[in-house]
Amino acid sequence: MSDTQHLHPETICVQGCWNPRKGEPRIVPIYQSTTFRYETSEQMAQLFDLKESGYFYSRLQNPNNDVVAAKIAQLEGGVGAMLTSSGQTANFYAVFNICEAGDHFISSSTIYGGTFNLFGVTMKKLGIEVTFVDPDADEATIEAAFRPNTKLIFGETLSNPGVHVLDIEKFAHIAHHHGVPLIVDNTFATPINCRPFEWGADIVTHSTTKYMDGHATCIGGAVVDSGNFDWEAHADKFPGLTRPDESYHGLIYAQAFGKMAYITKATVQLMRDFGSIQAPQNAFLINLGLETLHLRMARHCENAQKVAEFLRTCSKVAWVNYPGLKEDKYYALAQKYMPNGTCGVVTFGVKGSRQEALDFIDRLKFIAIVTHVADVRTCILHPASHTHRQLSDEQLIAAGVSPDLIRLSVGIENVDDIIADLKQAFT
């Protein structure tokens, strides 16, 4: 792996963390192997005891995945990362790595519907409770949600689908005041447009399925550790990191691995036991996407800005949300955290009934109706009828999803063609 510590993000995207020697592949190869050979039993034993680093079974780690994880960590400015089989898995692991039955955490309410359900329904069955808070509330209101057993705060840099901008510094201040980490899902902004660690976040997650892949080819996720949170300073809150792990002969992660404690535990404990590894083939494809991420994000933002400005002037449109619009509620926060652009997602409402909104979507020609977002092709969705349909109207509002909200993911096609398709669907 090459030293990418002082390289610009664009260079890391293209060449980060892979430095082949004479006669080795120029492109990261696919390590399509479940197992790895060693010459002695002692060598294998040292790996299983975490006394040496290396590969022995792809359910835990794979060289292909580690190169791509290292590149994502470098882009975010973290000390380490772990690839997962999906973005959902990444968020589950990120929370479950420091929460257990009887614990509690706080989450922004305006998050992706699948994550909302994961936190509010499925994790509740595991004995872990969540309190959802309005991310725009003042610090005192959010702090009122804390309990003695609260272990973290969670939010999305740009919410899916509402494109609300999280005030990362505010949430980091609240979290650290109470001795817990801030976990931020940075999927929509990507590290090209925002690096949450620079604003106080401690852990970052990604659905690599979205802009990192960028071509809708494979499902994946990532968990990135900043290495900045002092687990031992709050040892009583985080026994999983600061007390002996009997499944590794009493090893204490915070003492044995220092700044790498959190991500090491996630890999050797959670990935060992759950096995939601990202397939090496998918990691290979994610890496191809990363190589052009910096180019694509600029085009996504440029196109989305023009589409948002068009929608703002359209008589059939009731409202438009896009943080790049100066009148947008989150414009100031977007300028603070993402001055070079946010993402390609625009949300808006069509005047009239829900059915009129669905009829408008059905009249589109090349803008496709798909359960996806954030790839090179422009696509559209009505969350209340699709991705968030498991939520009640009250839950929809709490999640920042009005019944008439349409999510438009602007691609990298010619923007005039995108606008022309929207025009014909309106007329």
Side-chain angles (χ1 to χ4, degrees), residues 40 49 109 198 233 290 296 331 360 370:
T40 69
D49 282 344
S109 61
E198 295 177 353
L290 288 171
R296 290 184 285 105
Y331 179 78
F360 157 75
V370 297

Side-chain angles (χ1 to χ4, degrees), residues 155-415:
E156 292 176 349
T157 312
L158 291 164
S159 68
N160 178 8
V163 208
H164 302 167
V165 180
L166 187 74
D167 191 341
I168 303 172
E169 276 195 321
K170 178 181 78 174
F171 272 81
H173 179 264
I174 296 169
H176 297 159
H177 178 69
H178 289 269
V180 302
L182 171 63
I183 300 177
V184 174
D185 184 329
N186 197 32
T187 295
F188 270 12
T190 83
I192 298 302
N193 286 340
C194 184
R195 304 214 314 171
F197 294 155
E198 295 177 353
W199 301 99
D202 301 289
I203 309 296
V204 158
T205 63
H206 284 278
S207 171
T208 60
T209 315
K210 309 304 190 296
Y211 287 120
M212 284 188 170
D213 169 11
H215 300 82
T217 60
C218 56
I219 304 293
V223 182
V224 189
D225 184 5
S226 70
N228 293 332
F229 193 83
D230 189 345
W231 305 103
E232 290 194 287
H234 310 282
D236 291 342
K237 283 183 179 291
F238 306 104
L241 285 156
T242 61
R243 294 179 188 172
D245 181 352
E246 297 308 323
S247 68
Y248 281 110
H249 309 296
L251 176 145
I252 299 174
Y253 295 101
Q255 294 179 8
F257 300 104
K259 287 182 175 295
M260 293 286 289
Y262 173 93
I263 204 67
T264 300
K265 178 179 180 291
T267 302
V268 304
Q269 188 186 81
L270 298 189
M271 192 61 79
R272 174 197 65 189
D273 293 346
F274 289 107
S276 301
I277 194 74
Q278 187 171 130
Q281 176 75 51
N282 284 8
F284 176 83
L285 293 171
I286 293 297
N287 192 55
L288 293 182
L290 288 171
E291 289 178 354
T292 60
L293 180 63
H294 57 294
L295 299 175
R296 290 184 285 105
M297 288 308 294
R299 181 59 176 260
H300 280 296
C301 293
E302 177 187 345
N303 280 0
Q305 183 71 29
K306 292 177 180 177
V307 167
E309 290 171 356
F310 158 72
L311 291 171
R312 181 177 56 180
T313 64
C314 182
S315 61
K316 301 291 181 69
V317 174
W319 55 269
V320 182
N321 281 347
Y322 187 65
L325 296 175
K326 290 186 177 180
E327 67 271 20
D328 189 87
K329 177 180 179 180
Y330 297 99
Y331 179 78
L333 281 177
Q335 290 299 300
K336 174 180 177 178
Y337 295 119
M338 292 160 271
N340 296 321
T342 54
C343 67
V345 180
V346 179
T347 59
F348 63 98
V350 174
K351 291 179 180 177
S353 65
R354 178 183 290 198
Q355 187 57 48
E356 286 177 281
L358 295 175
D359 290 343
F360 157 75
I361 292 174
D362 290 345
R363 288 193 295 269
L364 292 164
K365 302 297 184 183
F366 79 84
I367 297 176
I369 306 169
V370 297
T371 310
H372 200 246
V373 66
D375 71 59
V376 293
R377 303 162 192 86
T378 300
C379 56
I380 200 163
L381 198 72
H382 184 246
S385 300
H386 305 136
T387 55
H388 289 61
R389 68 179 298 122
Q390 76 272 25
L391 303 184
S392 66
D393 283 350
E394 292 77 16
Q395 288 175 317
L396 284 171
I397 297 300
V401 182
S402 59
D404 64 340
L405 184 148
I406 292 173
R407 183 184 73 185
L408 177 64
S409 179
V410 181
I412 63 172
E413 307 95 341
N414 185 291
V415 72

Side-chain angles (χ1 to χ4, degrees), residues 106 133-146 153 167 170-171 173-174 178 329:
I106 296 168
V133 298
D134 179 354
D136 297 331
D138 58 33
E139 292 195 18
T141 302
I142 296 170
E143 287 190 339
F146 271 85
I153 305 182
D167 191 341
K170 178 181 78 174
F171 272 81
H173 179 264
I174 296 169
H178 289 269
K329 177 180 179 180

